[in-house]
Amino acid sequence: MVNYKIRRFLVERNRKLKPSERIATRIGYMGAGFLIAAQWTLEPVLYILGFVCVMIQTGSRKQWNLVALNLNGLVAWIKHLITL
């Protein structure tokens, strides 16, 4: 019973997103769209735009492991674009 109350206290159900978080979420969705389009065209610029947009979303949510993962993909596609 006590464990349930602690978990319920830690999870905030009625949290409203701030305007900056809403914008970052929409930018992240746009980035996911760029990444999907890039898979079909293999265009490095779309990959770069997609990773930048998704990094904005993950950075605003403080998901640093995903920021590092997207940074890795961004560097790889920039390197690919330069060596074309």
Side-chain angles (χ1 to χ4, degrees):
M1 187 69 171
V2 173
N3 196 12
Y4 173 76
K5 287 183 180 181
I6 291 172
R7 279 190 270 145
R8 188 164 181 192
F9 174 74
L10 292 176
V11 176
E12 191 175 336
R13 298 258 180 216
N14 297 326
R15 182 176 174 270
K16 300 267 184 185
L17 292 177
K18 299 175 193 169
S20 62
E21 292 173 330
R22 270 188 258 141
I23 290 172
T25 300
R26 291 179 182 139
I27 291 172
Y29 287 145
M30 187 172 62
F34 282 139
L35 290 173
I36 290 170
Q39 289 179 352
W40 288 95
T41 62
L42 293 178
E43 181 64 36
V45 175
L46 289 176
Y47 277 109
I48 292 168
L49 286 173
F51 280 122
V52 168
C53 290
V54 172
M55 279 177 50
I56 291 170
Q57 180 186 19
T58 55
S60 75
R61 293 181 180 202
K62 297 178 178 58
Q63 297 172 324
W64 304 120
N65 58 336
L66 295 177
V67 171
L69 185 68
N70 289 319
L71 184 62
N72 181 35
L74 179 65
V75 169
W77 279 101
I78 289 174
K79 180 184 173 202
H80 179 74
L81 182 65
I82 291 171
T83 59
L84 274 179

